[in-house]
Structures are given as C-alpha cells and as structure tokens.
C-alpha cells in the first residue's frame, strides 16, 4: 500500500467533565488534539440524550480547534443549518438515519461545512460506496452508538480495509468507540487515520503523552 494518510487525533468530549467544559477543551488543546469530537444524541436514534447546537456554540467561543459534530440523531437534515451556524467545522451524520444522503451532503457543503458519514457496527460498507466521492470522512463505529466507555468491537475493523483498499477511498477514515492505543494501531493498519477516543484520553493521567503516542502510529502499515 503506497499511500499514507495523516494521523489525526480527535478526543471525544463525551468523556470530558462538563462542569468545567472550557478547561477540559483547553486540556485537550494543550495535549495536542487535532480536533474535538462532539457527540450529539437525541434519545431516538440512540437511547441517550446529550447536547445540541447551543452547546456547540459555547464550545466555539473557547477554542479554535475544528469542532466535529457527530450527529447520532433521527432526521439530521432538520438540524444541519443550526449546527453549521453554531460553528461546526464538519458534520457527520448516520447513513442509517437518512433516505437521501446525497441531498444532505450537498446541503452541508452549501453551508461551507465539511461532510462525513458514519456507519454503525452492523451496517455494511455498500451503504456508503456510491457517496464516497462526496465525503470528507467516513466514520466507522466500533461500538453501538449511544454511550462512551464501551468495549471496542474489533470485528467492525475489516470494513475500514474494504473502504480504503477495495473502494480506494482517499479521504479520512475515522474509527470511533473503545479506541485506545492498541485498537488504534490495528484500525490504522487497515487504513484508518482519524482516531476518536473519549474514555482513553479524558480518563487517562497524561493526555499529552497518550496523544503523542497515538500520533506516531502509521496509517496503512502492519
Ligand atoms: C459513542 C460515541 C463515541 C464515544 C467514544 O456513541 O460516538 O464518540 O464518545 O467514547 P469512548 O472512546 O469512551 O468509547
Ligand atoms: Zn462519536
């Protein structure tokens, strides 16, 4: 595999202490995060409820890091504009939640925001195959979306290889759910280059050390 993709680290704020959100964001920033992953849950698409555009707007005021809104919500099209206006740099929606992904991607891009699509552990790669050229990122979930702190389902990883190698996708491939150093390495060997990690990074003693270790992982190498 000749091509190399830049490794990027996205701490998931779901595991941050929300009573001190601004300082948690600074902590991730100082530790070398490339972007911040914001988990939006609506109690319908997933059983849990987290936050909406109002909080993204507050986050926007305290950091210049790209804010990635991972929408685990039904009918995401309804809220795209609000998340864009709140200051999201990229909006990732779930392929399982929409009927017309192409129209939604066009809508996101028309708001000058990057567009990504996420697939749940049980969702096949074929569901995103024909939209790959329109996407900035494919996010492969390695837990059932809804909660932080779950065990990584490594059986989802071969889908990364399929998207990277069989489909020849050249954009970012993120992996989200139970990611630690070892799981990130395995995912990277298959072609992932964006590591989303909540519990591992916010729960660890030294986020800076953990991030720099993860950044040394090479994509697409065994
Ligand atoms: C799960 C979320 C993840 C989660 C990751 O529904 O999409 O982003 O916060 O948390 P950890 O790293 O703890 O699995
Ligand atoms: Zn997420």
């Amino acid at each position: 595999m000749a091509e190399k993709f830049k490794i990027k680290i996205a701490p998931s704020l779901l595991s941050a202490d929300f009573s001190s959100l601004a300082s948690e964001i600074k902590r991730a920033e100082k530790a070398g995060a490339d972007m911040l992953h914001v988990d939006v849950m609506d109690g319908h698409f997933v059983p849990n409820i987290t936050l909406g555009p109002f909080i993204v707007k507050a986050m926007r005021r305290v950091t210049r890091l790209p804010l990635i809104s991972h929408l685990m919500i039904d009918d995401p099209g309804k809220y795209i504009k609000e998340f864009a206006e709140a200051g999201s740099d990229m909006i990732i929606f779930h392929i399982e939640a929409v009927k017309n992904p192409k129209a939604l991607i066009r809508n996101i891009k028309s708001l000058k925001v990057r567009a990504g699509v996420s697939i749940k552990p049980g969702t096949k790669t074929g569901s995103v195959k024909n939209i790959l050229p329109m996407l900035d990122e494919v996010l492969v979930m390695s837990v059932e979306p809804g909660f932080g702190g779950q065990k990584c389902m490594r059986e989802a990883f071969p889908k990364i290889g399929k998207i990277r190698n069989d489909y020849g996708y050249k954009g970012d491939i993120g992996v989200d759910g139970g990611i630690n150093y070892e799981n990130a390495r395995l995912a990277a060997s298959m072609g992932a280059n964006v590591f989303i990690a909540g519990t591992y990074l916010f729960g660890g003693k030294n986020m800076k050390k953990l991030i720099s270790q993860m950044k040394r992982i090479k994509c697409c190498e065994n």
Side-chain angles (χ1 to χ4, degrees), residues 114-158:
R114 294 191 296 140
V117 153
S118 183
I119 55 174
K120 297 205 276 186
T123 301
K124 296 205 164 69
T125 53
S127 62
V128 297
K129 192 177 178 187
N130 67 341
I131 54 171
L132 289 177
M134 303 173 75
L135 293 173
D136 296 293
E137 180 170 333
V138 178
L139 182 65
V140 175
M141 297 293 306
S142 44
V143 295
E144 282 304 330
F147 299 93
Q150 302 182 75
K151 189 173 177 288
C152 178
M153 298 162 71
R154 287 180 159 195
E155 55 274 27
F157 286 1

Side-chain angles (χ1 to χ4, degrees), residues 20-152:
S20 315
L21 192 52
S23 64
E24 288 286 78
I25 288 173
K26 287 285 161 229
R27 182 156 78 96
E29 228 173 57
K30 285 194 188 124
D34 295 295
M35 60 189 94
L36 295 169
H37 183 90
V38 184
D39 287 308
V40 178
M41 305 185 189
D42 67 348
H44 290 274
F45 183 75
V46 291
N48 199 5
I49 301 178
T50 55
L51 53 91
F54 178 77
I55 306 289
V56 174
K57 199 172 173 185
M59 291 171 176
R60 182 72 293 162
R61 286 202 296 271
V62 295
T63 184
R64 288 196 173 161
L65 283 180
L67 292 174
I68 315 305
S69 295
H70 176 195
L71 305 188
M72 288 161 277
I73 63 175
D74 279 338
D75 201 4
K78 209 168 151 186
Y79 299 97
I80 295 302
K81 197 161 178 277
E82 281 180 69
F83 279 99
E85 285 172 355
S88 307
D89 295 278
M90 171 148 70
I91 294 175
I92 299 178
F93 64 88
H94 267 268
I95 196 72
E96 302 88 356
V98 299
K99 289 201 181 74
N100 188 348
K102 285 187 179 171
L104 190 49
I105 296 165
R106 277 192 287 268
N107 184 4
I108 295 171
K109 297 222 161 160
S110 74
L111 297 163
K112 306 270 177 278
V113 172
R114 294 191 296 140
V117 153
S118 183
I119 55 174
K120 297 205 276 186
T123 301
K124 296 205 164 69
T125 53
S127 62
V128 297
K129 192 177 178 187
N130 67 341
I131 54 171
L132 289 177
M134 303 173 75
L135 293 173
D136 296 293
E137 180 170 333
V138 178
L139 182 65
V140 175
M141 297 293 306
S142 44
V143 295
E144 282 304 330
F147 299 93
Q150 302 182 75
K151 189 173 177 288
C152 178

Side-chain angles (χ1 to χ4, degrees), residues 170-195:
K170 303 271 188 277
D172 285 335
I173 300 182
V175 63
D176 185 10
I179 296 303
N180 55 22
Y181 179 77
E182 286 306 326
N183 292 330
R185 253 182 42 161
L186 184 63
S189 72
M190 299 190 187
N193 66 308
V194 183
F195 307 136

